[in-house]
Amino acid sequence: MSTLVQTDVSHRTGKRVRSLTRLIESDAGLLSAQLKELRTRAFPPTAQKELRKFTSVEAAKLIGVSDAYIRQLSLSGDAPEAEKTSRGRRLFSLDQIHELRRTLAKSKPSYLPTRKGDDHLQVIAVTNFKGGSGKTTTAAHVAQYFAMRGFRTLAIDLDPQASLSALFGIQPEFDLQENDTLYGAIRYDAQRKSLSEVIRPTYFAGLDIVPGNLELQEFEHDTPRVLASGGGGSDRMFFSRIASALASVEDGYDVVILDCPPSLGFLTLSALCAARSVLVTIHPQMLDVASMSQFLHMTASLLDVVERAGGDADYDFFRYAITRYEPSDGPQGQIVGLMRSLFGERVLTTPILKSTAISDAGLTKQTLYEIARENFTRSTYDRAVEALDAVHAEIESLVLEAWGRAL
């Protein structure tokens, strides 16, 4: 039998009434304690989340060469020493794959896809204000894909719920102190710190993260007060704060992925003004599409106000990413067809499939790129990875096109 927490709120009657505040507070404490215990069992205090090793075939595919060529480099001593399994298979860490890239780039610079010359920092905002659209899962996979392809990548968790942070092994309640999120770098007072101070490396070589937690919500509370007080100069305008923070670290990165909160608040608007490109995730159900219609109307209206106030709404590309798509679902197919007829090329060519492989990976706070093929039915794994790679390759080609290059 569940217990409702009671509190004395009436001195006049002497009656004790049930308080929803105390009930929620109690349940939050119980759940938090249980999560901490489960985390301690699964991840002792000294444990770190690690990325699996990649087969030579996977390494070759990521770099864009043949497996035979990597074998040749290994025999000549020009490749890092690979780990060998009992069956003689060679396994490379992502760090070693990047080392291979750098070796190959000495004779052919294109093997290193990093920014060159006037290439601008590519900031991609992943957004939708309806939950369940696959926004965070998409952001995590996109960030990891770019890192695996050799781009210096930064992921920023803007969602107070911090699901992206959890996927990367960061428990917001236990691993973060005050000012350890992006809020620390965009707040309005004297406690603001540089973005470099809140960036953390991840177990994914070439991928850093700015984690999130409930502290991010403070920006939504602070901004109205600053606006009401008259702002205090252009440096205090909310829509420029994320862009300004990113400018301080842009020399260290090629691609930034912003996982926006599922709401159209000041954080999301600031992220959209900082972004050069936008991905709107959409689950092909009629309720989700109707919700997206409202999201687009509201976004356009608010960005118009921001633009007139001096905000930057310039962009390289804007795309809709179909998520959790089931090819056998007729109504979903009709909705995807409707979107393609309305928006044409702004809908990414390949949808992200609804897959048990992705769902099963998520149960252990992992992405599909982190789990080896042998953990799944091969056909299920291959189908899901091929779809993800096709989506991400299309996004990569858009980034390179914005830089004046070809994939």
Side-chain angles (χ1 to χ4, degrees), residues 17 35 37 44 62 70 84 98 158 173 178 181 195 211 231 240 270 316 322 330 349 383 386 398:
V17 299
L35 287 172
E37 183 179 339
L62 285 171
I70 289 186
K84 285 189 177 179
H98 292 333
L158 283 167
E173 290 179 84
E178 185 180 356
T181 71
L195 182 58
S240 65
S270 186
D316 290 328
I322 305 297
T349 304
R383 187 166 55 249
E386 285 170 10
L398 291 167

Side-chain angles (χ1 to χ4, degrees), residues 59-220:
K61 183 180 178 183
L62 285 171
I63 296 170
V65 297
S66 66
D67 183 28
Y69 189 38
I70 289 186
R71 189 179 297 111
Q72 180 184 332
L73 289 171
S74 296
L75 291 172
S76 64
D78 293 325
E81 187 174 345
E83 177 186 322
K84 285 189 177 179
T85 68
S86 57
R87 296 184 177 182
R89 295 174 70 193
R90 288 165 300 138
L91 299 176
F92 294 90
S93 69
L94 189 53
D95 264 321
Q96 290 176 316
I97 293 173
H98 292 333
E99 187 179 336
L100 271 168
R101 263 198 195 91
R102 289 190 290 269
T103 299
L104 293 169
K106 291 176 183 176
S107 56
K108 189 178 179 182
S110 61
Y111 279 115
L112 272 181
T114 51
R115 291 162 55 205
K116 299 171 180 64
D118 295 330
D119 295 343
H120 56 264
L121 179 67
Q122 182 56 249
V123 183
I124 303 174
V126 184
T127 186
N128 194 324
F129 73 179
K130 190 176 192 307
S133 68
K135 176 181 59 63
T136 295
T137 303
T138 299
H141 281 99
V142 170
Q144 290 178 352
Y145 173 86
F146 273 106
M148 290 190 299
R149 292 285 290 173
F151 294 87
R152 300 168 301 165
T153 308
L154 175 64
I156 299 182
D157 194 348
L158 283 167
D159 189 345
Q161 296 176 74
S163 297
L164 183 69
S165 303
L167 269 176
F168 280 95
I170 298 169
Q171 192 68 31
E173 290 179 84
F174 314 121
D175 298 336
L176 302 181
Q177 303 299 320
E178 185 180 356
N179 258 15
D180 278 349
T181 71
L182 183 70
Y183 175 68
I186 62 173
R187 59 191 301 163
Y188 298 94
D189 59 23
Q191 294 184 55
R192 185 173 58 173
K193 58 172 66 172
S194 66
L195 182 58
S196 60
E197 294 179 75
V198 294
I199 292 175
R200 298 181 177 210
T202 72
Y203 53 91
F204 239 89
L207 174 56
D208 293 340
I209 189 170
V210 175
N213 66 10
L214 288 172
E215 178 185 68
L216 287 162
Q217 199 62 32
E218 293 301 314
F219 188 71
E220 305 290 350

Side-chain angles (χ1 to χ4, degrees), residues 25-38 173-174:
E25 184 179 69
S26 173
D27 283 358
L30 289 170
L31 182 58
S32 181
Q34 186 62 40
L35 287 172
K36 188 172 184 178
E37 183 179 339
L38 290 171
E173 290 179 84
F174 314 121

Side-chain angles (χ1 to χ4, degrees), residues 156-348:
I156 299 182
D157 194 348
L158 283 167
D159 189 345
Q161 296 176 74
S163 297
L164 183 69
S165 303
L167 269 176
F168 280 95
I170 298 169
Q171 192 68 31
E173 290 179 84
F174 314 121
D175 298 336
L176 302 181
Q177 303 299 320
E178 185 180 356
N179 258 15
D180 278 349
T181 71
L182 183 70
Y183 175 68
I186 62 173
R187 59 191 301 163
Y188 298 94
D189 59 23
Q191 294 184 55
R192 185 173 58 173
K193 58 172 66 172
S194 66
L195 182 58
S196 60
E197 294 179 75
V198 294
I199 292 175
R200 298 181 177 210
T202 72
Y203 53 91
F204 239 89
L207 174 56
D208 293 340
I209 189 170
V210 175
N213 66 10
L214 288 172
E215 178 185 68
L216 287 162
Q217 199 62 32
E218 293 301 314
F219 188 71
E220 305 290 350
H221 301 149
D222 294 345
T223 300
R225 290 198 293 268
V226 171
L227 291 174
S229 68
S234 59
D235 63 318
R236 296 178 67 80
M237 296 303 288
F238 75 89
F239 51 75
S240 65
R241 300 192 77 73
I242 294 179
S244 295
L246 288 175
S248 68
V249 299
E250 65 176 333
D251 289 344
Y253 299 98
D254 306 304
V255 177
V256 177
I257 305 298
L258 304 175
D259 183 26
C260 298
S263 60
L264 196 53
F266 295 112
L267 272 172
T268 299
L269 282 172
S270 186
L272 290 174
C273 287
R276 292 300 301 252
S277 304
V278 179
L279 283 179
V280 179
T281 54
I282 178 67
H283 181 218
Q285 298 279 10
M286 188 49 70
L287 284 176
D288 294 72
V289 172
S291 172
M292 188 184 75
S293 173
Q294 295 302 308
F295 168 74
L296 294 175
H297 277 299
M298 291 171 62
T299 303
S301 176
L302 290 170
L303 281 178
D304 184 54
V305 174
V306 168
E307 268 194 291
R308 282 189 271 116
D312 183 7
D314 189 18
Y315 69 98
D316 290 328
F317 62 85
F318 181 98
R319 291 294 184 272
Y320 298 100
I322 305 297
T323 63
R324 299 170 55 212
Y325 178 62
E326 299 177 77
S328 61
D329 188 318
Q332 282 197 13
Q334 291 177 1
I335 290 172
V336 172
L338 171 65
M339 291 187 64
R340 293 198 191 285
S341 69
L342 292 173
F343 305 129
E345 68 173 12
R346 290 200 301 281
V347 181
L348 291 176

